[in-house]
Amino acid sequence: MNGLKLSETYYLEMVAPEIKRSCPKALSFLAAGLVGEGSECFGFDDEISQDHDFGPRVCLWLTEEGEEQYGEALRSVLEKTKESCDRHFSSLQTKEAAGRSGVLKISEFYQKYTGKAAGPGTWQEWIKLPQEHLATCTNGAVFWDAAGEFTAVRKRLLGYYPEDVRIKKIVAKAALAAQAGQYNFERCLRRGEQTAATMALGEFLKHSMELVYLLNRTYMPYYKWSHRGLYGISSVPGAWEEFNAIVRAGINAPKACSEHIEVLCTMILKALRRQKLCSGTDPYLLAHTEEMTAQIKDPAIRALPVMFG
């Protein structure tokens, strides 16, 4: 059983019945689910992931009023139900996992990941937020939300970046990916700078993956899961496989690696054209940043440096 299913089963079969028995009015003030840090929140957990922090856990997000009235009672509920669970799970918990689940304030949860209790509002707040932070607070699943406050913020965040911000980030990642992979990678190899070439390749992988996620209107998760999350992504068909090919070639087969970089950049260019973000045919991604920038409506965002975002 994966972590999300385990969490849902734990909530439905143990936590929810105990809440209904001991403090039923608390249900009107809470949302329950599993969202946040940990591979299980993304549905990426497997047997290897069970070496730490694996077990029945759930988040009970409370409104301000709910925390004041029922916070302690709900903590007691979780302590009681945990005691009834398999002892194996409790031995796996680490100090780093503290605060990832249990009784949490809705406002503090979103403040932690977005810097705002209700999530970002202005374009300045949106543009500075890393994709991985937004991915972390919108992953997983919500099993119950009578108050609706938690889900309302979640729904707004899942609506994705404002379009001007998305385009600006696409411009920045296209420029950075082109600079690292289509320009500096080969130059470093020609100089015999293997370490610099490896770093350039890593930068290309990072920025081009971010670009694919932006084109898919999906937040890119923490770097360990960024490639895994691309599997089956629809905005750039075949990207997952092409990233694999680039890594396999690496710097040991520079000609093949450069060819795969160009194939991927051509795939990305086709996606940019499908979304009518650019019209050119040059596979060098930096060549299209000016045209894409011109589509940004807000002059303040449009005036930002090309690689900002």
Side-chain angles (χ1 to χ4, degrees), residues 158-169:
L158 285 170
Y160 209 57
Y161 292 111
E163 185 63 2
D164 273 358
V165 172
R166 185 183 82 101
I167 294 173
K168 183 64 195 76
K169 284 182 171 287

Side-chain angles (χ1 to χ4, degrees), residues 106-122 124-130 132-137 153 156-157:
I106 296 170
S107 57
E108 290 178 357
F109 177 84
Y110 286 115
Q111 175 82 34
K112 177 180 179 180
Y113 296 108
T114 73
K116 294 288 181 178
T122 66
Q124 292 93 337
E125 291 167 355
W126 274 106
I127 205 164
K128 71 180 182 181
L129 271 175
E132 67 181 72
H133 290 188
L134 288 161
T136 300
C137 65
V153 179
R156 188 168 68 84
L157 295 179

